[in-house]
Amino acid sequence: MERPNTIEAERLVREFKKGPRAVDGIDLRVEPGEIYGFLGPNGAGKSTTVLMLTTLLPPTAGTARVAGYDVVREGPDVRATIGAALQEAALDGLLTGREHLRLQATLQGLPRAERPARADELLERVGLMEAADRKVRGYSGGMKRRLDLALALVHRPRVLFLDEPTTGLDPQSRAALWTEVGRLAREEGVTVFLTTQYLEEADVLADRVGIIDHGRIVAEGTPAELKAQVGRPTVEAMPADERIADVLARFGEPVPSAKGVAVRLAGDADLTAIVRALDAKGLLVDNLQLHQPTLDDVFLAKTGRSLEGAGDEEEAASRGLAMQPAA
Amino acid sequence: MRLASVARGVAWRSLHNVFTNPSLLIPQLAFPLFFFTAFAGGLSGVSRVPGFDFAEGYTAFQFVFVLCQSAAFGGVFTGFGIARDFETGFVRRLLLAAPNRTGIVLGYAVAALTRWLVTATFLTAIAFAVGMKVGGSGVDLPALYLLAALVNVAAGLWACGVAMRLRTMQAFPVMQFPVFLALFFAPVYVPLHLLQGWIHGVAYVNPLTRVLEAGRSFIAGAPSEAGVAFGVAAALAVLFAFWALRGLRSAEAAG
Amino acid sequence: MSDAADQIFVLARRSVVRTSRQPAQWIAPLVFPMLLLAVNSGGLKAVTHLPGFPTDSYVAFALAVPFIQGALFATMNAGTELARDIQTGFLNRLALTPLRGAALLAGHLGGVVALGLVQACFYLAVGLAVGVRPASGVGGVAVLLVFAALIALAFGSLGTWAALRTGSAESVQSLFPVFFVFLFLSSMAIPRNLIQQAWFRDVANANPVSYLLECVRSLIITGWNGEALGLGFGVVAAVGVGALALSARALPQRLAR
Ligand SMILES: Nc1ncnc2c1ncn2[C@@H]1O[C@H](COP(=O)(O)OP(=O)(O)O)[C@@H](O)[C@H]1O
Ligand SMILES: [Mg+2]
C-alpha cells in the first residue's frame, strides 16, 4: 500500500562549521496534495531546509520524514518518492533539452521503451517541444526553469520540491509555472513544497505558507489566516474631508493617511456599506480604496523588517569590503 | 607628464597585484627555474653530441634560452592580467578616468619589464650558484639582458594588443600560442648548425633564432651578429607597440 | 541490458558528447603532443648520435611521450568535468536518482577511457605516417592500446579523486604543473643511462613516469621486453588501484546522501 505523501519535520536543525545556524529548529507538517509555500528573504534557510528534506544534506539535529520515510535512514526510499528542482537549475549547457530528459529517464530506471514517449510528453507539457533539440546553453532563464521542472517529474514523483522556481523570471514565465504547479497538486494530488522570496507567489499559489527568517518559522497558516493575524483591512478615501471622515469613523477606528482619510475596518464591515453611507449623505469621493493586509505586513509584524530587501541588506553587509575595487 | 603619471599608476597596481599574491608570484619564479633544471640538468648529455661546439658548457647554453623564454612568457602573463582587468571592469574605469590613454599601455609594459627583472635576477643567481661558466669574464652579459628585455617588451606588447582586442580571459591561448611556437621552433637544445631538415629551415627564418644565437655568443664572451639580433628585437618591439596602440583604439571604440 | 549497465552507458556517452561539443577539449590533446613531438624530434635528432642511444630515429624514441601526456589530459579532463558538475549542482541531480556510486564512477571514467583510446589511436597513426614501425608488431600495438586505456583509467581516477576532494575545477587545474614536473624530470627526452647529471638520473630513476614511458618505448623501439612491461603495468596498476580506492571513499561524502 502506498504511504500518504506527507512531509514532516521535527526540531530540524542544520549548523554549518564556519557559519550560522542556517536552520534553527523547524517543525513542519505538509498534507498530501497540499502546496506549501516557504517564504523568506535571502539567507533565511530555505535552501538548507530543502536540501535536508531531499536527503542531500544531513541534518545536525532533529528528524524529518517524507512519505513516512526518514530522510537520514531511508534515503533511497525518500529519493524514489520525490522530485526536486533545486535553486541552481543544474543543467548541462552542452546537452539539449531532450538529451537531458533521456538521461534522467535512464538514471531513474524507466523502462527503455517508455523513455522517448515520456520525454516528449514532458517537453510538450512544459512548452519546450520546439527548443527540445537545442543546447541548453542557449535557453532563457524561464526555459531552464521549465526544463528543470520537467526533469523533476520524469519518474512521476508524489512529492515535489521547488527551490525558488521563479526567481528572476519574467511575469509570463512565472504565471505559466504557477499554472503547471497548481495543476500538479489539484489534478494529480502531488504534494508541493515550494520556497520563494515573493509574497505574491506564496499568496497566489500556496494553500499554506510558512514564513522563515534566520532559520526559524516565525508564522504559519493559510494566507488569509496570516493576514488576519496582523489586522483587518483599512479603507482610505480621498479627498481629506471632515464629513467623509465622520462617515468612515462609523465603520472603524481612524488611522493616519497621507492624502486622504482612513480607518481600520471593525467587525464585518465592507466596502459596499461604506459606499451606501457616503451616498446617503450625498458626499462625493474622488477615490475610495480597500487595503488588504499583505504577507509583507505579516513579515513586518513578526520580524520588524520588510521582506523586500531584508536578505539583500544582510548579504551586502556580510560581503562588505570584498566589494571594494582592488586599486 | 600626464602620460607618466597614468603609466606609473597602472604599473604600480599591476605590480602590487603580482607581488602581494603568491599564486601569481610563485609560478613566475618557479616555471623558468623548472625549465632550467629540466633542460640544463636533464639534457646535459646533449653537449657530447658530435659537432656541439659551445665552449662554456650546456648550463650556459640553456641559460640563454630559459632567460629569453622567461622574458617572453613574462610579457604574455602581463597580457593575461590585462584581459582579467577587462573582465573585472577595471580597464573600462581606467579608460574613463585616464587623461592620457597611451599611458595605460606604457604602464602595463613597464610592469611587464619590472616583473621580468625580478625573475631574471632570481634565475641568474641560481645559475651562478650551480656553477654556470661565463666566457670573457662576463663583459658582454649586459648585452644579453638588454636583448632579453627587448623580447620581454615585445611579447608584452603583443599580448597587450590581443587583450585589448578580445577583452576576455579566453584570449589566453591566442596570446600564448604564437609565442610558444616562436620559442620552440628555434635552436632550443642544440646550435642552429646541428639542426637538420625542415626544423632547420623553420628555425633559420625564426627571428628568435637570431636573438638566441647572439645571446649565446654574449655569454661566451665572443659576440657575433649582435647588430642583427638587436635590430630584430627592436623591430619586433616597435611593431608590437603599434599593434598594442591600435588595440587600445579598438578597446576605446568598443567602449 | 540491466539498469546499471544502462546507467553507466548513458553517463559515459554524456561525457564523450560533452567533450566532442567543446572542440578545444579534444583538439588540444591531439595537437599539442604532436607539436611537441615535432619540435623535439627535430631539435633533438642529433642526440641519436650519442654512443649507446637505443635507436637512430628520435621520432620513434619520442613517440612514447604523447601517450603519457594523454594521461595528463585524462586527469585534467576527468577532474575538471566532475568538479564542474559539483560546482553547478549537476552532481546533486544525479544524487537524487537511484544511481549507485559505483555506476557513477564507472560511467564517468568510461567516457575518459574512450577518449584516451581515441587519442592513443591518433598518436599511433601519426607515428606510422612518419615512418615509425613498432618493433613488437601488431601484438605490441594491441598491448600498447590496452596500456593507453589503463593509463587513462588510472590517471582519470586520480583526477576524479582530486575533484571529489576539492570540489573545484580551478583546484584540479592547479595540479597541471605538478604532472608537468613529473613528466619533465623523467627519461622523457633521453634514456636514463645517458643522463649525465647524477642527481637528475637519481630523480628520473625514482620517478614512476620514467617506467610508464619506457614501457611504451620498449614496445615501439625494442620489441618485447618483460622487465619494461612489468614495471609499466605495475606502475599503472598501483596508481589505478590507489586512486580508485580513494575516489570510492571520497564519493559518498560528496554525494552526502
Ligand atoms: N555550505 C554552507 N556553508 C556555510 N554556510 C552556509 C552554507 N550553505 C548555506 N549557508 C548559510 O546558511 C544560511 C541559510 O542559507 P540558505 O539556506 O541558502 O538560505 P536561502 O535559501 O533562504 O536563501 C545563510 O546564512 C548561508 O550563508
Ligand atoms: Mg536559497
Side-chain angles (χ1 to χ4, degrees):
Chain A
M1 212 196 72
E2 277 202 337
R3 307 196 187 190
N5 45 345
T6 54
I7 304 170
E8 299 150 287
E10 274 150 40
R11 293 184 299 282
L12 199 60
V13 172
R14 175 67 208 200
E15 242 167 323
F16 288 109
K17 275 188 213 87
K18 306 173 289 239
R21 270 193 157 208
V23 173
D24 191 6
I26 277 184
D27 294 305
L28 278 176
R29 181 164 177 91
V30 183
E31 299 301 329
E34 188 175 38
I35 300 179
Y36 187 86
F38 209 39
L39 174 69
N42 233 330
K46 302 183 297 295
S47 295
T48 306
T49 307
V50 168
L51 288 177
M52 287 191 287
L53 294 175
T54 53
T55 77
L56 291 173
L57 187 70
T60 338
T63 58
R65 277 178 305 282
V66 176
Y69 298 112
D70 187 280
V71 295
V72 176
R73 284 180 285 106
E74 296 166 298
D77 294 312
V78 174
R79 288 193 289 276
T81 314
I82 65 172
L86 300 178
Q87 184 163 1
E88 348 74 69
L91 301 170
D92 186 333
L94 293 169
L95 299 186
T96 67
R98 193 190 304 277
E99 283 167 339
H100 272 90
L101 279 160
R102 297 272 181 96
L103 178 71
Q104 186 83 15
T106 308
L107 297 182
Q108 289 290 5
L110 257 66
R112 178 185 292 269
E114 265 182 44
R115 291 174 206 158
R118 182 69 179 149
D120 281 354
E121 177 192 340
L122 286 166
L123 284 166
E124 188 70 56
R125 183 144 151 196
V126 298
L128 284 177
M129 210 52 183
E130 266 168 41
D133 296 309
R134 294 214 317 259
K135 282 182 210 148
V136 164
R137 191 164 49 186
Y139 280 20
S140 70
M143 291 161 81
K144 286 182 183 161
R145 285 287 173 197
R146 282 179 291 165
L147 178 59
D148 200 13
L149 177 65
L151 290 170
L153 296 176
V154 162
H155 57 301
R156 301 186 176 82
R158 293 161 54 232
V159 180
L160 188 62
F161 290 89
L162 303 173
D163 194 2
E164 300 200 22
T166 65
T167 296
L169 294 196
D170 59 279
Q172 273 128 344
S173 305
R174 184 174 299 175
L177 214 124
W178 288 353
T179 312
E180 184 55 33
V181 170
R183 204 186 67 71
L184 279 165
R186 311 287 171 252
E187 293 176 19
E188 299 183 17
V190 174
T191 308
V192 180
F193 186 95
L194 167 136
T195 79
T196 181
Q197 300 187 41
Y198 300 123
L199 304 159
E200 194 198 351
E201 184 157 280
D203 209 345
V204 171
L205 195 55
D207 300 315
R208 228 147 40 83
V209 174
I211 298 183
I212 177 170
D213 189 37
H214 294 306
R216 290 165 184 272
I217 293 186
V218 294
E220 194 181 42
T222 65
E225 282 166 7
L226 286 173
K227 291 180 223 163
Q229 279 178 24
V230 285
R232 306 278 310 147
T234 57
V235 165
E236 185 180 37
M238 271 164 268
D241 180 312
E242 263 190 33
R243 288 171 301 164
I244 296 177
D246 287 341
V247 174
L248 286 189
R250 282 195 258 145
F251 296 90
E253 142 205 7
V255 290
S257 160
K259 295 191 200 111
V261 292
V263 293
R264 184 175 303 285
L265 296 182
D268 49 7
D270 68 29
L271 216 46
T272 42
I274 298 174
V275 173
R276 278 195 214 101
L278 288 169
D279 191 42
K281 291 267 176 189
L283 291 170
L284 288 177
V285 286
D286 297 341
N287 195 342
L288 186 69
Q289 277 179 353
L290 180 70
H291 294 290
Q292 289 289 356
T294 64
L295 288 177
D296 198 27
D297 297 322
V298 180
F299 191 81
L300 184 68
K302 300 288 180 184
T303 67
R305 289 169 302 143
S306 173
L307 178 63
E308 246 106 80
D312 297 337
E313 281 162 28
E314 278 158 40
E315 264 201 3
S318 70
R319 261 188 264 141
L321 288 174
M323 292 288 285
Q324 295 295 312
Chain B
M1 201 51 236
R2 284 170 143 192
L3 177 79
S5 68
V6 171
R8 204 175 323 119
V10 172
W12 183 84
R13 173 180 174 281
S14 168
L15 290 170
H16 182 79
N17 263 4
V18 172
F19 289 104
T20 53
N21 187 345
S23 72
L24 294 176
L25 182 62
I26 291 173
Q28 170 186 333
L29 298 177
F31 267 97
L33 181 62
F34 169 70
F35 275 107
F36 187 53
T37 310
F39 289 171
L43 295 172
S44 57
V46 172
S47 61
R48 287 185 294 136
V49 165
F52 188 95
D53 52 3
F54 189 72
E56 310 312 317
Y58 205 65
T59 305
F61 185 82
Q62 278 301 352
F63 176 76
V64 174
F65 175 74
V66 175
L67 190 74
C68 290
Q69 189 193 30
S70 72
F73 275 114
V76 170
F77 276 103
T78 300
F80 189 51
I82 301 174
R84 192 175 40 227
D85 284 346
F86 265 107
E87 289 204 345
T88 59
F90 178 78
V91 177
R92 183 146 303 134
R93 223 162 350 127
L94 269 182
L95 288 174
L96 286 176
N100 185 318
R101 291 168 169 184
T102 307
I104 299 174
V105 171
L106 186 63
Y108 279 120
V110 168
L113 196 57
T114 315
R115 278 176 73 163
W116 174 70
L117 282 175
V118 174
T119 309
T121 309
F122 175 72
L123 199 59
T124 306
I126 300 281
F128 281 112
V130 300
M132 180 174 72
K133 281 183 284 173
V134 170
S137 61
V139 286
D140 298 312
L141 274 186
L144 168 63
Y145 288 96
L146 197 60
L147 200 51
L150 278 173
V151 170
N152 176 257
V153 170
L157 288 169
W158 149 255
C160 176
V162 175
M164 294 277 177
R165 282 173 177 79
L166 299 182
R167 300 183 286 276
T168 155
M169 298 208 292
Q170 315 283 323
F172 190 49
V174 181
M175 297 174 196
Q176 191 193 25
F177 196 58
V179 175
F180 175 87
L181 285 185
L183 278 168
F184 281 91
F185 284 102
V188 178
Y189 308 108
V190 291
L192 180 63
H193 67 85
L194 282 187
L195 292 179
Q196 293 164 1
W198 64 272
I199 184 113
H200 182 272
V202 176
Y204 188 80
V205 297
N206 181 350
L208 262 175
T209 301
R210 304 293 140 221
V211 171
L212 285 177
E213 298 257 294
R216 284 167 181 156
S217 77
F218 292 142
I219 211 166
S224 84
E225 297 202 53
V228 179
F230 273 104
V232 164
L236 286 176
V238 171
L239 183 71
F240 289 130
F242 279 111
W243 162 256
L245 287 174
R246 291 275 305 271
L248 177 65
R249 299 287 106 81
S250 108
E252 287 171 348
Chain C
M1 248 195 291
S2 77
D3 273 3
D6 244 7
Q7 293 175 339
I8 293 170
F9 177 73
V10 291
L11 287 177
R13 190 179 54 191
R14 166 177 177 243
S15 117
V16 172
V17 165
R18 275 184 59 82
T19 307
S20 71
R21 287 179 189 172
Q22 305 172 84
Q25 290 287 313
W26 57 267
I27 292 176
L30 297 184
V31 170
F32 266 99
M34 291 301 104
L35 202 67
L36 272 176
L37 183 69
V39 166
N40 285 344
S41 59
L44 284 166
K45 178 111 190 76
V47 177
T48 54
H49 300 310
L50 285 177
F53 198 85
T55 164
D56 57 7
S57 158
Y58 195 83
V59 187
F61 178 81
L63 188 58
V65 179
F67 289 91
I68 310 308
Q69 282 166 334
L72 209 153
F73 285 115
T75 315
M76 290 303 131
N77 186 32
T80 47
E81 289 279 293
L82 181 60
R84 201 147 290 147
D85 276 353
I86 293 171
Q87 280 169 316
T88 61
F90 201 87
L91 194 72
N92 273 340
R93 178 183 297 293
L94 300 181
L96 281 170
T97 69
L99 180 69
R100 285 182 190 282
L104 194 158
L105 282 184
H108 178 62
L109 291 170
V112 173
V113 169
L115 292 167
L117 273 174
V118 171
Q119 285 169 19
C121 290
F122 178 76
Y123 303 149
L124 207 57
V126 171
L128 290 172
V130 299
V132 177
R133 294 289 171 266
S136 53
V138 177
V141 167
V143 173
L144 183 55
L145 290 179
V146 170
F147 191 64
L150 288 178
I151 283 185
L153 178 63
F155 285 84
S157 305
L158 212 54
T160 300
W161 177 56
L164 290 170
R165 281 303 300 265
T166 64
S168 124
E170 287 71 31
S171 304
V172 173
Q173 265 156 356
S174 69
L175 281 177
F176 193 84
V178 177
F179 284 94
F180 205 65
V181 169
F182 267 92
L183 186 61
F184 272 78
L185 301 185
S186 70
S187 53
M188 171 182 117
I190 205 164
R192 273 184 290 144
N193 59 353
L194 293 184
I195 297 176
Q196 262 191 329
Q197 303 269 5
W199 68 266
F200 197 98
R201 199 162 52 236
D202 293 341
V203 170
N205 280 335
N207 183 350
V209 171
S210 295
Y211 303 103
L212 297 177
L213 283 164
E214 286 160 23
C215 176
V216 176
R217 194 169 280 157
S218 75
L219 290 167
I220 298 176
I221 63 177
T222 53
W224 298 100
N225 175 336
E227 189 188 339
L229 290 177
L231 282 168
F233 276 90
V235 167
V236 163
V239 172
V241 170
L244 269 176
L246 289 168
S247 299
R249 251 187 43 191
L251 183 64
Q253 286 160 30
R254 192 49 83 175
L255 290 178
R257 56 177 195 190

